[in-house]
Amino acid sequence: MPEEKLTEPDKELTLKESESKYRELFDNAHDSMYTLDTAGCFQTINRAGLKILGAEKEEIIGSHISKWLTPESLKAALEVLKKQIAGEDVEHPVLLEVICKNGEHKWGEIRTRCMRDGDRITGIHGIARDITEKKKLEQELLASEAKYRDLFENADDPMFTLNEDGHFVALNTAGLKILGCATEEIIGTHISEWMTKESYGITREVMKKRMLGEAVEPPSIIEMICKNGEHRWVEGRSRLIKDGDRITGFHGIARNITEKRRLEQQLEEYHNKLLKSYEELIEADRMKTEFVSNITHELLTPMTSIRGFTELLMDGTAGKINDKQKKSLEIILRNSDRLIRLIKDLLDAANLEKKSFGMQFELVSVNDIISKCVQDITPEANKRKITIVRGTSQISSIWGDEERLTQVIMNLIVNAIKFTPEEGTITIASCEDKDCVRISMADTGIGIPADQLCRIFDRFYQIDGSNSRKYGGTGLGLSICKSIIEKHYGSIWAESSGNGSIFHITLPMLGYEKKKEG
Ligand code: ADP
């Protein structure tokens, strides 16, 4: 078909149609579009562009880009303009920060090209995409990342990131401080280089378990080796880092427990030393008990013999003796008795320690025991003009060791006489109460200070323990009494009101069917 020749008016019409088509495309484009002259002043701008800047067309057309850009972005935009006019390559897109009419800042990703009239560059045509939302998200992400980085870097505890093989990817300041090294000295190195073999064994096990999804008992105690060779202790916890299903490494946090560990080790050393001293002490005590036990046995035999022969001499069996000799023999006898009592006390104390204090249980009458003791001690009491008052009521027999219970009652009466001034009174009472027998012994003696009432039952304890003490004795009697009473499942205690002392004893009847004494 022959080419149709267009008339001048037709050409003008086609051109107008085409111009209006492109104008419509330009105006309704989703992205902002504009043209600038070579000086950087707006010649045209589409609706999307107006919307971004929030201004009317008249406010923009003719204005220079400097009115709508931040100083840095203006610098970048003028650089692009200059390069394009000079025909140089420009890297697209260019990121510009736009200042809207209301002062708000927005971000655009801009692509530009030159407009030409023949060879002459007449201006710049630009397309801008609003990426403000993306930029805001990016900035928020950056701020959040900076916040977490700050937390990581400035945490008091060491924090680290390892890759899946155990190489350091990151270590915060606290971690660097513990190991005494710089970031570049640790990043990329393997964790095994910074801990003892045993600790690496533990760490490797934990990493393996974590990778297999098995339970790990946190925290692990790890012995780290610092750059200077010093060893430090940390308590470490870790967790996996995953990218989807893929394991990419480990995050960890550790606590420096070096000081705690050092104190623990010191404590353990002290404990071991103390234990050793304690064992040595026990051994020394055992040897002393053994010695006391042996020596008292050795002393008792000759003393018993001395006493026996003294009695024989006094009886006149070995020949007649005069009064003077009798008096001397009486003194020997009295002191032999005293010495034998002392030796027996020592022997009892040693046997109690060795736990070889034998007891012979049988049915015994507490009233009979008291009566016998009172009878035996009366001459001694009379010498001191001390009255013994005996208050009795009928009481059941109990299951006990007669000899040992006699020893207890005798000890209490001897003490009462010893600590009571002349013309004093000792009152001994006994009664039955529910399932036990009660004995009390009150004296009008010197009394016992309240803070000493418990201590007098300790071994070797005497209220007046000084060398110049008035009353003599060993301080063993009451501790032996306490042991004997406790072996009867009973109790013994003292009271003192300042007007003498009262000693109390309770002895259980231990399920024995009550049988009243006749
Ligand atoms: P010892 O009489 O050989 O010193 P004891 O163990 O029998 O040892 O008594 C311990 C201490 O208790 C005595 O030294 C004395 O200080 C105090 N004591 C015991 N009985 C009486 C009492 N009836 N009155 C005052 N003090 C007493």
Side-chain angles (χ1 to χ4, degrees):
M1 203 166 68
E3 200 179 277
E4 215 180 317
K5 270 224 159 183
L6 289 173
T7 60
E8 273 310 307
D10 283 346
K11 268 188 192 172
E12 205 173 304
L13 193 71
T14 320
L15 216 60
K16 262 191 178 160
E17 276 173 2
S18 167
E19 200 268 345
S20 105
K21 195 170 81 190
Y22 283 116
R23 175 160 297 280
E24 198 179 304
L25 274 175
F26 175 82
D27 270 340
N28 296 317
H30 182 261
D31 289 331
S32 313
M33 292 171 111
Y34 58 89
T35 55
L36 301 177
D37 63 19
T38 48
C41 292
F42 280 98
Q43 284 180 326
T44 55
I45 185 160
N46 72 349
R47 278 202 202 106
L50 295 175
K51 208 171 148 200
I52 284 192
L53 294 176
E56 297 300 324
K57 205 170 194 168
E58 308 73 64
E59 293 172 288
I60 299 170
I61 304 301
S63 69
H64 189 256
I65 51 171
S66 59
K67 185 179 171 186
W68 307 98
L69 294 172
T70 61
E72 298 85 58
S73 288
L74 177 65
K75 207 171 143 200
L78 289 176
E79 191 65 26
V80 169
L81 195 68
K82 203 171 116 193
K83 274 188 175 173
Q84 284 201 313
I85 290 169
E88 289 172 26
D89 283 341
V90 172
E91 226 177 89
H92 281 113
V94 181
L95 208 65
L96 297 180
E97 191 177 354
V98 178
I99 307 167
C100 308
K101 188 185 163 189
N102 65 3
E104 197 187 323
H105 283 222
K106 288 187 177 170
W107 286 88
E109 218 173 55
I110 287 148
R111 289 166 200 278
T112 52
R113 62 173 186 77
C114 288
M115 294 190 299
R116 293 172 192 276
D117 183 2
D119 280 347
R120 195 170 64 86
I121 292 173
T122 55
I124 296 289
H125 177 227
I127 300 179
R129 171 155 297 174
D130 184 357
I131 57 153
T132 309
E133 276 314 305
K134 188 178 145 198
K135 194 77 191 171
K136 262 190 193 160
L137 278 174
E138 230 176 69
Q139 276 173 341
E140 273 168 19
L141 213 66
L142 270 172
S144 164
E145 202 267 341
K147 194 171 82 191
Y148 285 112
R149 175 156 295 281
D150 186 65
L151 278 175
F152 175 82
E153 283 304 340
N154 298 313
D156 285 343
D157 289 330
M159 291 169 101
F160 57 88
T161 308
L162 303 177
N163 68 9
E164 70 273 32
D165 305 324
H167 289 91
F168 274 104
V169 177
L171 178 66
N172 70 350
T173 318
L176 294 172
K177 211 167 137 194
I178 283 199
L179 294 177
C181 64
T183 311
E184 54 282 6
E185 289 173 302
I186 195 150
I187 303 304
T189 62
H190 195 258
I191 192 147
S192 59
E193 294 173 37
W194 301 91
M195 54 180 69
T196 59
K197 235 176 160 177
E198 299 73 38
S199 288
Y200 178 55
I202 299 171
T203 309
R204 203 178 40 202
E205 201 53 34
V206 169
M207 285 165 83
K208 209 167 98 190
K209 277 189 174 172
R210 288 246 182 265
M211 284 175 133
L212 293 172
E214 290 174 15
V216 175
E217 294 236 341
S220 323
I221 308 287
I222 303 296
E223 189 177 355
M224 305 294 301
I225 306 172
C226 308
K227 188 183 159 190
N228 64 3
E230 208 178 292
H231 284 216
R232 301 244 165 107
W233 291 86
V234 295
E235 212 172 60
R237 293 167 199 269
S238 63
R239 63 171 189 80
L240 280 182
I241 318 173
K242 282 184 168 183
D243 183 0
D245 280 345
R246 199 171 62 85
I247 294 166
T248 56
F250 301 88
H251 263 323
I253 182 157
R255 173 149 293 177
N256 186 359
I257 54 157
T258 312
E259 189 57 15
K260 185 178 149 205
R261 186 88 193 174
R262 197 180 60 77
L263 288 173
E264 269 172 11
Q265 277 172 345
Q266 218 172 53
L267 212 67
E268 204 177 307
E269 271 171 38
Y270 288 149
H271 173 80
N272 287 339
K273 268 190 202 162
L274 221 64
L275 205 70
K276 201 164 162 259
S277 307
Y278 175 72
E279 279 162 3
E280 282 169 4
L281 220 66
I282 294 278
E283 179 55 14
D285 196 50
R286 195 194 59 77
M287 280 166 72
K288 177 220 72 190
T289 308
E290 203 59 44
F291 172 76
V292 172
S293 172
N294 291 342
I295 206 85
T296 42
H297 264 299
E298 294 303 318
L299 287 170
L300 204 55
T301 319
M303 271 318 296
T304 319
S305 156
I306 292 171
R307 192 187 185 283
F309 280 107
T310 314
E311 264 180 339
L312 272 179
L313 287 174
M314 274 176 71
D315 284 356
T317 321
K320 231 176 159 340
I321 52 164
N322 60 32
D323 281 354
K324 212 173 165 190
Q325 285 167 329
K326 197 175 175 196
K327 265 213 167 86
S328 302
L329 288 171
E330 268 172 12
I331 294 172
I332 296 176
L333 197 67
R334 207 171 45 246
N335 282 298
S336 301
D337 281 343
R338 226 177 115 193
L339 214 57
I340 288 172
R341 237 190 352 261
L342 260 168
I343 294 168
K344 279 190 173 168
D345 272 1
L346 278 171
L347 196 63
D348 282 347
N351 284 338
L352 275 166
E353 269 179 44
K354 288 201 301 182
K355 309 224 177 331
S356 56
F357 191 82
M359 305 280 284
Q360 299 281 328
F361 281 89
E362 57 187 324
L363 271 181
V364 292
S365 159
V366 169
N367 274 344
D368 285 354
I369 293 174
I370 298 172
S371 301
K372 201 169 159 287
C373 290
V374 171
Q375 196 184 344
D376 287 356
I377 204 79
T378 300
E380 181 70 24
N382 290 343
K383 265 190 237 164
R384 303 267 329 272
K385 298 194 187 85
I386 288 173
T387 315
I388 301 181
V389 178
R390 175 89 168 88
T392 37
S393 64
Q394 279 207 339
I395 53 172
S396 305
S397 295
I398 64 154
W399 201 242
D401 182 321
E402 186 164 355
E403 200 188 320
R404 293 301 181 187
L405 288 176
T406 307
Q407 187 179 348
V408 172
I409 303 294
M410 204 57 167
N411 208 307
L412 294 186
I413 305 179
V414 168
N415 276 354
I417 294 175
K418 188 159 76 168
F419 296 105
T420 302
E422 285 195 355
E423 314 217 324
T425 308
I426 297 168
T427 311
I428 308 171
S430 53
C431 66
E432 189 179 317
D433 179 16
K434 285 184 193 153
D435 293 331
C436 70
V437 162
R438 294 183 182 277
I439 306 164
S440 68
M441 193 175 308
D443 62 48
T444 54
I446 59 169
I448 301 163
D451 60 332
Q452 317 271 325
L453 284 169
C454 291
R455 302 206 59 194
I456 54 170
F457 294 96
D458 292 348
R459 267 194 310 161
F460 304 112
Y461 190 80
Q462 296 184 305
I463 295 171
D464 176 15
S466 65
N467 285 339
S468 59
R469 69 197 197 280
K470 201 168 147 191
Y471 301 101
T474 55
L476 279 171
L478 286 180
S479 74
I480 296 170
C481 289
K482 190 168 185 258
S483 299
I484 293 173
I485 296 298
E486 281 170 357
K487 278 179 187 289
H488 283 79
Y489 303 99
S491 34
I492 179 167
W493 70 99
E495 280 175 15
S496 182
S497 56
N499 187 20
S501 319
I502 311 176
F503 283 81
H504 296 275
I505 294 174
T506 60
L507 290 163
M509 284 182 279
L510 298 177
Y512 155 72
E513 214 183 305
K514 287 183 186 178
K515 183 184 126 224
K516 293 278 175 203
E517 284 172 322

